[in-house]
Amino acid sequence: MSGQGRGVSRRSLLAAGLGAIGAAALGGCATRVDAAIADDTAVNFTSWIFGLSSSAHLVEAVAGYEQRTGVEVRRRTYPYDQYLNQLVLKTRGGHSTGLVHIDEEWMSTLATAGVLADLGDLVDEQRYPEHVCASGRYRGVRYAMPWTQSAIGIVANTGLATEVGVDVDRIRTVDDFTTALRAIKRADPSLIPYLPCTNVVQLKDIIPWMWSFGATVVDGGVITLGDAGSLAALEYWKMLLDEELIQAGVVRDDARTLFAQQRAVFYDDAPQSIKVVPPQSSDPDIAAKMRPLPRPSVAGTGRNLVWSQPLVALSRGHRVDELLTYLSADEQAQRIAFEKMGQPPTTTTSLTSPWFTGNRFHAEWNRIVAAASATNPFWAFPRASAAQLQFDESIERGLRGSVSAAQALREAKDGLQEQLTSL
């Protein structure tokens, strides 16, 4: 479910879809999103999960609604690498209605294309913690209903750390973390101390490090890249690469595999790591050794990047609203999604229920990582995926050393400012 490891390049996704989406958005043709499905005995629900072999658990969650209401849920799906493009094209052509599961990175693109309904009157924000409510809006309009949300944080193998003389509980500052990484490398040069994503298709892992060094990245519609904090963060990652404390070209699947093989002590992931890593590991006790690490910071507590897969509506109507509310706020539906699919719930009720708090890893992750999270600043752009790609490509040039860190940040700032004002 994390969207990190499907073997799909965001570059190929953008190439396939953003041209059509950009044309649709700039064409100024609004799409009707307030028409209810004519047949009140059925409702459409689109998710890429329905096209996967692991879809049975989502079908089970949806079945609870069907049994309760007698309403048929018509399942729709598109391949993940075509999903965003197909949503825009089908909806603008009048062929899609109902509710849709998305990665929140896509929300601004869909809103800009005029295919999303305003859910502001439907979402009861009192049901959700503050850090959950901070997501789901674009330009002041709430388009997303919380469904599953957490944050991408640092996972530690405490057993491996102890073996090489590192006390994870003593790591709080950036200096603490750097000292630990160097100690790991000295103790066992075959280990990779830390594995953030460093491949150009997933360089968003550097954003919370920029926050850790005091950068804002985007502040009130102004791109602040190139300030002291962002420059320090990029130079820090370059230093980690040069000292072989991290590796170049890493994507999330690589990091998960290497961590499972006990070749890395720390790596970045969403909380689904606790389901993904153990089956790949030869250590039967690795799950018990996995713990979240508070994001190191130069001052205070660092922040982590929100990971969010909400629900949006292509059309509004009684059944659409009813299913949205059921999937988002019904405790039984949230429990099935958590226990069977590994989806962290979003409501305060679910997050404080014994079936969630009794899970050591997830409860700790929610307290340490998710609660100290902030949304990706590029989600506020008219086309967030294009903005993220612009950022990633510029940062990658700086990490590779083809341009200086300062030049890489200038290039990112100029390109992003142009995107921000293009629509």
Side-chain angles (χ1 to χ4, degrees), residues 228-239:
S230 60
L231 182 60
L234 184 51
E235 290 178 338
Y236 178 68
W237 267 40
K238 185 67 168 64
M239 178 270 290

Side-chain angles (χ1 to χ4, degrees), residues 61-215:
V62 167
Y65 169 80
E66 292 178 315
Q67 293 165 5
R68 185 178 301 183
T69 64
V71 174
E72 175 193 4
V73 177
R74 296 169 176 162
R75 302 190 292 274
R76 303 286 187 265
T77 191
Y78 306 114
Y80 184 81
D81 60 344
Q82 302 172 24
Y83 200 81
L84 181 57
N85 191 36
Q86 287 297 315
L87 280 177
V88 173
L89 294 177
K90 297 290 187 183
T91 305
R92 294 186 67 86
H95 302 298
S96 292
T97 57
L99 61 152
V100 180
H101 162 215
I102 63 167
D103 272 330
E104 190 163 340
E105 182 180 289
W106 303 337
M107 188 178 71
S108 67
T109 301
L110 293 166
T112 300
V115 302
L116 295 186
D118 182 344
L119 300 181
D121 64 319
L122 183 62
V123 179
D124 180 359
E125 295 193 352
Q126 294 185 354
R127 287 175 162 160
Y128 311 97
E130 183 178 350
H131 69 272
V132 171
C133 289
S135 292
R137 290 187 182 88
Y138 174 65
R139 294 191 170 179
V141 179
R142 174 166 288 285
Y143 290 107
M145 172 76 83
W147 187 32
T148 184
Q149 182 176 313
S150 186
I152 296 172
I154 301 174
V155 188
N157 182 326
T158 57
L160 197 55
T162 300
E163 287 179 17
V164 294
V166 169
D167 183 354
V168 172
D169 290 331
R170 296 178 66 86
I171 299 174
R172 287 296 177 269
T173 68
V174 173
D175 286 344
D176 293 339
F177 189 63
T178 309
T179 298
L181 298 185
R182 288 172 172 158
I184 293 165
K185 196 68 177 178
R186 285 195 304 269
D188 187 346
S190 69
L191 288 174
I192 306 162
Y194 174 42
L195 280 175
C197 287
T198 52
N199 190 289
V200 68
V201 301
Q202 290 181 345
L203 267 169
K204 64 183 178 183
D205 280 2
I206 199 173
I207 294 174
W209 283 103
M210 290 184 172
W211 291 338
S212 287
F213 279 93

Side-chain angles (χ1 to χ4, degrees), residues 282-294:
S282 60
D283 180 0
D285 299 320
I286 194 169
K289 300 171 184 176
M290 291 170 64
R291 280 181 50 194
L293 179 75

Side-chain angles (χ1 to χ4, degrees), residues 17-29 92 383:
L18 283 178
I21 293 165
L26 292 170
C29 301
R92 294 186 67 86
R383 291 188 289 275

Side-chain angles (χ1 to χ4, degrees), residues 148-385:
T148 184
Q149 182 176 313
S150 186
I152 296 172
I154 301 174
V155 188
N157 182 326
T158 57
L160 197 55
T162 300
E163 287 179 17
V164 294
V166 169
D167 183 354
V168 172
D169 290 331
R170 296 178 66 86
I171 299 174
R172 287 296 177 269
T173 68
V174 173
D175 286 344
D176 293 339
F177 189 63
T178 309
T179 298
L181 298 185
R182 288 172 172 158
I184 293 165
K185 196 68 177 178
R186 285 195 304 269
D188 187 346
S190 69
L191 288 174
I192 306 162
Y194 174 42
L195 280 175
C197 287
T198 52
N199 190 289
V200 68
V201 301
Q202 290 181 345
L203 267 169
K204 64 183 178 183
D205 280 2
I206 199 173
I207 294 174
W209 283 103
M210 290 184 172
W211 291 338
S212 287
F213 279 93
T216 55
V217 182
V218 180
D219 185 10
V222 176
I223 314 300
T224 59
L225 291 172
D227 63 0
S230 60
L231 182 60
L234 184 51
E235 290 178 338
Y236 178 68
W237 267 40
K238 185 67 168 64
M239 178 270 290
L240 294 180
L241 275 171
D242 291 344
E243 294 190 19
E244 298 184 342
L245 303 177
I246 62 177
Q247 284 195 341
V250 174
V251 295
R252 195 77 72 208
D253 271 356
D254 298 335
R256 288 169 170 168
T257 299
L258 290 165
F259 187 84
Q261 294 171 346
Q262 299 191 88
R263 293 178 57 194
V265 179
F266 302 101
Y267 90 110
D268 281 86
D269 204 353
Q272 283 82 345
S273 60
I274 198 65
K275 278 189 172 290
V276 175
V277 167
Q280 301 182 50
S281 182
S282 60
D283 180 0
D285 299 320
I286 194 169
K289 300 171 184 176
M290 291 170 64
R291 280 181 50 194
L293 179 75
R295 178 74 58 180
S297 176
V298 294
T301 301
R303 291 179 296 166
N304 302 290
L305 203 60
V306 163
W307 168 89
S308 174
Q309 291 190 355
L311 301 172
V312 296
L314 304 178
S315 61
R316 289 288 299 273
H318 172 62
R319 294 307 185 189
V320 173
D321 291 0
E322 189 176 63
L323 182 54
L324 281 168
T325 303
Y326 168 80
L327 290 169
S328 177
D330 183 86
E331 188 172 356
Q332 179 185 359
Q334 291 249 301
R335 183 171 183 176
I336 291 172
F338 174 65
E339 294 181 346
K340 302 290 183 67
M341 300 164 61
Q343 288 191 186
T346 51
T347 65
T348 301
T349 298
S350 292
L351 290 169
T352 56
S353 294
W355 53 264
F356 180 78
T357 58
N359 184 302
R360 175 199 61 83
F361 182 85
H362 274 279
E364 195 172 28
W365 192 276
N366 193 60
R367 177 175 58 84
I368 292 173
V369 178
S373 64
T375 56
N376 189 321
F378 301 131
W379 288 355
F381 281 61
R383 291 188 289 275
S385 295

